[in-house]
Amino acid sequence: MQRRGFLVGAGLAGAAVFAATRMRGVDKVAPEIHFPGMHDGHALRDAHTFPAPRAHLRTGVAILGSGVAGMACAWALARAGRRDFVVLQGPEYGGNAAAANLGGRGDDTLDCPLGAHYLPLPSSESAHMMSLLADLELLERGPDGIAPRFDEAALTHAPHERLLRNGRWEADLLPSHGVPAAQLEQQHRFLAQMASLRTQRGRDGRRVFALPVALSSMDEAWRALDRESFAHWLDRNGYDAPNLRWYLDYCCRDDYGAGTREVSAWAGLHYFASRDGHASNASGDTVLTWPGGLSELIARMRTSITRRLGHDRWLQRGFASQVRDRAGDVVVLGARREGAQIATFSLTAGQVVSAMPLHVLARIWPGLKDTGYDPATHASPHAAWLVSNFLMQGWPSELPGEGLAWDNVVHRGRSLGYVVSTHQLLRVAPTARTVFTAYQSLDRMTPKQARGWLTRATADELRAEAASDLQQAYGDELWRRTRRLSITVRGHAMAIPAPGFLHNAGLLSLRGLDGRVRVAHSDLSGYSVFEEAAWWGIRAAEQLA
């Protein structure tokens, strides 16, 4: 079960670095290290003084951020017939749905994700996703179809996943080979309980665990699960089998950036019980993916918006450095880097949709303090991540067992595994080159400790972290095959749904905000996946249309 789909809200900067260092007799390529948004974000944090604006723009709606929420909001506005809006793209176009290409100009076979890389099939309550995918020509039957049919090229090709355990690759991420019968029975019991919860409804008639979270049951008898950690709930219910607990911890780290001890029990159960997507041409656990990850959806939304508006001036380069409410409008001070300098401009709008993380909005909008949201008490913890892309020349030799899959995980490894960017390409023979994308959630440290380590770590230390599981799979052949290594550092990658997140009064107040400044970001849900971000973006657009 793959769920590595976190989201936040530039491609690779600079030329490739092919220099290598000699370590233990093996040449290791020198990594390119990228910190998207960090310099701009720290300028806001440190109250940097920006120059006076040199240009002045006016629009009906200003959307701040071009991640999933911002682009979904713009898509929904354009679809509803509005033309008077601007998207200020932020420090990184696409946010955590951004992508890069490691193959050079003209080689589109080596696109790779810089963040989220797949989308599960839409769940029962995700009508917004069905409409979006239909408009983007990825849903081949109407969104109201009983058995939707999705674009075959986007559905994950087999084999989907495998697990490296005891020196051998196994087919499933939940270990079963050689596992004692009592532990297998416990695993079966857990999965059966999750299947039952998938159809459970609260006293208000809603499914207990729905996606988006806002459509889940408000029945407090179930929401009380948010008061304890997932690990505590597992202990109470007799789930202590080591392999099961490793798997559940992995799933939480993969989707939430933290383990079962840090995640709300409600969120842990939601992971397994919320998704009930289906398709006429795929099994329910199939996902949609592309070589460049979810950047494909960002690109398709951009194309759809531009087609409807007849121009691309709606997307403006730069990031918001200040938001000021006035009597009849809102003024946004925008900034963009022009070489070593920062140029500023003003953007006056009747309405503003903030599609940026809440910790950034808190730095630039004084009015946030009047909404009922206090960053000091209501801010969710945010996990730090590394997303590392290894450009491989040829294919390394595999250990025994299952062959290379789309998603490849090392049992009890430090990272969350790696995906193969070229897995979806339809080729008679393997490509000469490929990209392995490795993910690290750094959850062995607190988020604050992880961010501190990331700012201090040397290039060699970051490379060792990025390669930790790949080296277990391939040894030194990893470095003999690697021609380029690009590491993307995301210090505030994703909100962690810690115990109490469902009852966060500050987030609940922001969800109902209806003034000139509205918030549309997955932070409102307390965790970060595409469907949540798109939900808030589309909802904001519907309120403004």
Side-chain angles (χ1 to χ4, degrees):
M1 178 182 294
Q2 321 96 338
R3 289 285 301 275
R4 196 174 306 115
F6 60 92
L7 288 161
V8 296
L12 296 178
V17 179
F18 290 99
T21 56
R22 188 90 178 164
M23 298 178 67
R24 298 182 182 176
V26 179
D27 288 331
K28 297 186 177 182
V29 64
E32 310 159 36
I33 315 296
H34 305 276
F35 296 82
M38 187 184 77
H39 297 301
D40 296 334
H42 286 186
L44 299 176
R45 180 197 65 186
D46 301 333
H48 176 80
T49 300
F50 292 93
R54 298 191 305 185
H56 304 275
L57 305 173
R58 181 174 292 273
T59 188
V61 179
I63 303 169
L64 310 182
S66 64
V68 173
M71 293 296 282
C73 182
W75 169 81
L77 284 175
R79 188 168 181 249
R82 288 203 65 162
R83 304 176 61 86
D84 59 335
F85 64 84
V86 165
V87 174
L88 194 58
Q89 71 177 36
E92 182 184 28
Y93 172 64
N96 211 22
N101 183 288
L102 299 190
R105 183 175 299 175
D107 185 354
D108 62 356
T109 65
L110 293 174
D111 288 342
C112 54
L114 299 180
H117 64 280
Y118 71 92
L119 178 71
L121 300 181
S123 300
S124 298
E125 295 79 8
S126 297
H128 67 297
M129 291 303 306
M130 298 292 275
S131 297
L132 176 63
L133 294 176
D135 186 69
L136 302 186
E137 300 181 348
L138 293 167
L139 184 60
E140 296 177 353
R141 285 186 186 167
D144 298 324
I146 297 176
R149 180 179 179 83
F150 295 89
D151 180 4
E152 290 279 357
L155 295 168
T156 41
H157 304 158
H160 296 171
E161 63 187 24
R162 62 177 183 166
L163 176 70
L164 180 58
R165 179 168 165 263
N166 298 327
R168 186 178 183 85
W169 287 104
E170 302 175 3
D172 300 311
L173 298 192
L174 179 57
S176 59
H177 298 291
V179 176
Q183 293 189 31
L184 287 176
E185 186 280 328
Q186 197 176 116
Q187 293 177 184
H188 296 324
R189 179 166 64 90
F190 176 83
L191 295 177
Q193 186 172 3
M194 295 306 102
S196 176
L197 287 177
R198 205 166 292 130
T199 59
Q200 183 70 51
R201 294 185 180 271
R203 286 176 291 185
D204 54 6
R206 292 182 175 186
R207 277 208 306 151
V208 171
F209 302 103
L211 203 156
V213 165
L215 297 184
S216 297
S217 173
M218 296 298 291
D219 188 340
E220 191 56 36
W222 288 100
R223 289 167 65 87
L225 290 165
D226 182 46
R227 306 291 187 184
E228 64 180 320
S229 72
F230 192 26
H232 186 262
W233 183 89
L234 292 168
D235 291 340
R236 284 200 302 109
N237 285 271
Y239 293 116
D240 58 4
N243 282 306
L244 175 63
R245 291 298 287 261
W246 168 82
Y247 172 70
L248 300 180
D249 211 55
Y250 169 84
C251 290
C252 287
R253 293 170 58 220
D254 193 43
D255 227 36
Y256 302 138
T260 55
R261 295 189 181 281
E262 287 76 40
V263 165
S264 156
W266 192 96
L269 295 171
H270 182 271
Y271 177 103
F272 294 96
S274 62
R275 298 192 184 277
D276 61 353
H278 63 282
S280 63
N281 58 334
S283 60
D285 61 352
T286 303
V287 301
L288 303 171
T289 190
W290 300 266
L294 297 188
S295 68
E296 177 72 17
L297 296 179
I298 296 292
R300 288 182 182 235
M301 282 191 280
R302 181 174 182 173
T303 298
S304 175
I305 298 165
T306 299
R307 184 183 70 248
R308 285 188 164 99
L309 269 58
H311 64 82
D312 61 4
R313 296 186 300 278
W314 58 272
L315 183 62
Q316 294 286 319
R317 190 169 60 86
F319 62 95
S321 64
Q322 188 180 98
V323 176
R324 295 287 180 183
D325 299 279
R326 298 198 308 194
D329 54 28
V330 184
V331 177
V332 177
L333 180 65
R336 62 170 64 100
R337 294 192 176 273
E338 296 181 353
Q341 304 299 315
I342 291 183
T344 62
F345 56 93
S346 68
L347 177 59
T348 302
Q351 301 279 345
V352 164
V353 176
S354 172
M356 63 178 69
L358 292 178
H359 72 272
V360 178
L361 180 62
R363 300 285 182 183
I364 67 173
W365 183 37
L368 185 62
K369 67 180 185 299
D370 301 320
T371 65
Y373 177 86
D374 179 2
T377 57
H378 298 135
S380 301
H382 275 67
W385 282 63
L386 293 182
V387 182
S388 307
N389 284 290
F390 294 74
L391 174 61
M392 311 291 288
Q393 183 67 45
W395 300 77
S397 302
E398 295 288 344
L399 290 170
E402 299 293 326
L404 188 66
W406 170 67
D407 193 18
N408 308 268
V409 177
V410 174
H411 186 239
R412 301 193 182 280
R414 284 176 59 169
S415 84
L416 297 167
Y418 59 97
V419 295
V420 181
S421 71
T422 55
H423 184 80
Q424 292 296 101
L425 298 180
L426 300 176
R427 296 287 189 274
V428 175
T431 56
R433 297 188 294 174
T434 189
V435 178
F436 289 170
T437 304
Y439 291 83
Q440 273 85 7
S441 66
L442 302 179
D443 59 290
R444 66 183 181 276
M445 299 175 263
T446 68
K448 184 176 181 180
Q449 289 171 340
R451 284 188 284 274
W453 179 78
L454 288 171
T455 59
R456 297 188 306 270
T458 66
D460 286 351
E461 290 171 331
L462 290 172
R463 177 178 56 201
E465 182 72 30
S468 58
D469 282 8
L470 282 163
Q471 284 216 253
Q472 288 195 56
Y474 301 115
D476 288 341
E477 190 179 0
L478 169 69
W479 301 114
R480 287 193 287 270
R481 296 286 186 183
T482 301
R483 294 296 179 267
R484 184 177 176 185
L485 169 57
S486 175
I487 300 176
T488 300
V489 178
R490 299 192 177 278
H492 299 266
M494 60 195 301
I496 299 171
F501 87 105
L502 272 187
H503 299 83
N504 186 317
L507 293 182
L508 293 174
S509 69
L510 289 182
R511 290 182 182 184
L513 202 61
D514 62 356
R516 292 193 178 276
V517 178
R518 300 168 187 265
V519 177
H521 192 273
S522 61
D523 277 357
L524 294 181
S525 298
Y527 79 111
S528 305
V529 295
F530 187 102
E531 300 97 310
E532 297 288 351
W535 163 260
W536 294 113
I538 293 171
R539 180 174 179 269
E542 290 172 346
Q543 293 170 339
L544 295 173

